[in-house]
Amino acid sequence: MAPLPTESAPVPAGSAPPPGNPAARSLPVVEISGTPLERGRQYGEAVRPLLHASLAYYEEAFGRSAGLTWEKVTARAARWLAPVTAYAPHLVEEMRGIADGAGAGLLDVLALNARGEVIYDKSFAEITADRAGRPAEEEPAEGCTSFAAYGPASGDGHVYAGQNWDWRAGVADTVVMIRIVQPPNPTLIMQVEAGQVGRQGANSAGIAFNANGLGGRFDDRIGLPQTVVRRTVLDQGNIADALDVLCRTRAHIASNALLTCREGFAIDLETTPAGHGWMYPTDGLLVHGNHYQAGVPAPLAAAGYRPMSPDSLVRVPRAEQGLAALRHSTGPAESRELIRRAMSDHLGHPESLCTHPDPRRPAVEHWTTLVSSLADLTTGEYLVTAGTPCDRAYQHLPWNLYDGPHGGPEATGTQP
């Protein structure tokens, strides 16, 4: 058997060892319901120690990269309070409830929800550059490799969507799976950092949302945080309304959105403050990483765009190659194992499709695959790994996507 990945012993390229049992770790699961304020309080109470661990990590990370105290971070995050209140007041109420339940401040929770916007804001780059005494370098985007597979790409006929979510290893123990019951809106299942109101997931209308950071700094106008945009997308009951949110909302930073629906349709939007690009699957398969694949936005092209996550240029074709085996699957169990193995690829280790911490960097800057997720939009099952997929089996969540508004027998293809 190939050696398991460690910080000192890289694994052979492309290998995917059988899943082991790394401390038998699983992701915490939280279910909330009621009014926005009630949901938030339930959420905050459930994740209180995790949320405070997340605050401590980002205080250290922001202090190291830009010399910012946490007080200065929350002051910077406060600029998003008015736009979010105007666009989605119920989500501000939910954040207020999270803060109450966790014993934190509203701006603390807002900062966790806008941590990407703080990092990628132009003024943050200027502070970092001034502190370093050299021109600003692009902060690496939140790394992820997303996919959709259905039709000719799916041998068992199921519709699959998922991703490897790569981000700071320091927040690995703050990741939770949350189910939000909010009728008449669809019920949601998402993977989030404790205290966040949105990130990646799927809903009871059979829509999956997977996302990838893209990078590139644009103008100084204030747009909405990604957590708010993504949550609003997943609150929609059909694919057209979900797309409408992405096309009509001005986000603050660039991000890729891969939407997949249970009817067997997927579309990818590279959303930026300067405009959007889009892509469709080829023969039922679509993979997206952290570089612009539909076209480089004009403002970035004019400035001499270069991918800030060069490993994305490796990860995308490797995922496509690995997922091609799915075409020959004879059933869901085989499909899930083929997907796990495809997403466990190690070419370019440690910054491979299955990402591991790089021992050459300080611990606070370590990156890893926090979660590898797989939504079976045909059956409504949601599966995740609590960390890198190469050495873990999928954790089956205790909920079915279609137990909620817009679900029902017709969603899963079963009869009462």
Side-chain angles (χ1 to χ4, degrees), residues 5-25:
T6 66
E7 293 190 9
S8 58
V11 299
S15 68
N21 186 29
R25 181 169 173 262

Side-chain angles (χ1 to χ4, degrees), residues 379-398:
T379 65
E381 294 169 278
Y382 203 109
L383 302 94
V384 293
T385 62
T388 48
C390 63
D391 51 3
R392 291 167 174 83
Y394 280 124
Q395 170 188 348
H396 286 67
L397 296 185

Side-chain angles (χ1 to χ4, degrees), residues 25 30 75 190 192 229 246 265 302 343 382 392 399 403 416:
R25 181 169 173 262
V30 176
M190 297 185 295
V192 296
V229 175
L246 292 169
F265 176 84
M343 303 307 284
Y382 203 109
R392 291 167 174 83
W399 316 295
D403 294 336

Side-chain angles (χ1 to χ4, degrees), residues 397-410:
L397 296 185
W399 316 295
N400 189 285
L401 279 172
Y402 299 129
D403 294 336
H406 307 276
E410 69 282 2

Side-chain angles (χ1 to χ4, degrees), residues 32 43 91 94-95 98 109-110 112-117 142 163 165 176 178 180 182 188-202 209 211 225-235 255:
I32 60 176
Y43 182 6
L91 293 184
E94 199 166 285
M95 290 185 211
I98 293 169
V109 175
L110 182 58
L112 291 178
N113 279 273
R115 49 93 164 144
E117 284 68 24
E142 183 170 11
Q163 71 179 100
W165 172 22
V176 299
I178 187 165
I180 304 176
Q182 49 175 8
L188 313 182
I189 296 176
M190 297 185 295
Q191 58 244 30
V192 296
E193 294 170 50
Q196 293 181 340
V197 298
R199 189 144 295 281
Q200 293 92 225
F209 183 103
Q226 282 296 319
T227 53
V228 172
V229 175
R230 297 175 186 183
R231 170 63 176 276
T232 305
V233 169
L234 282 172
D235 280 345
S255 181

Side-chain angles (χ1 to χ4, degrees), residues 83-175:
V84 175
T85 301
Y87 179 76
H90 61 290
L91 293 184
V92 174
E93 278 299 286
E94 199 166 285
M95 290 185 211
R96 196 180 306 278
I98 293 169
D100 290 346
L106 174 59
L107 291 183
D108 291 328
V109 175
L110 182 58
L112 291 178
N113 279 273
R115 49 93 164 144
E117 284 68 24
V118 171
I119 291 172
Y120 302 124
D121 190 68
K122 288 180 70 176
S123 59
F124 186 88
E126 291 162 2
I127 290 175
T128 305
D130 289 346
R131 185 165 180 261
R134 58 179 182 271
E137 295 182 0
E138 189 81 22
E139 180 82 11
E142 183 170 11
C144 299
T145 310
S146 300
F147 69 89
Y150 59 88
S154 175
D156 62 15
H158 287 215
V159 178
Y160 294 108
Q163 71 179 100
N164 280 6
W165 172 22
D166 308 330
W167 183 236
R168 307 293 184 90
V171 302
D173 290 334
T174 75
V175 175

Side-chain angles (χ1 to χ4, degrees), residues 20-58:
N21 186 29
R25 181 169 173 262
S26 61
L27 295 175
V29 294
V30 176
E31 182 166 355
I32 60 176
S33 61
T35 66
L37 190 62
E38 291 169 344
R39 293 196 301 261
R41 284 176 176 155
Q42 294 164 22
Y43 182 6
E45 290 170 0
V47 303
R48 184 178 184 127
L50 306 185
L51 188 147
H52 284 276
S54 187
L55 293 175
Y57 170 78
Y58 283 115

Side-chain angles (χ1 to χ4, degrees), residues 11 151 163 183 192 249 267 273 301 326 346 351-352 390 398 411:
V11 299
Q163 71 179 100
V192 296
T249 302
I267 182 172
L326 191 59
H346 289 116
E351 293 188 5
S352 43
C390 63

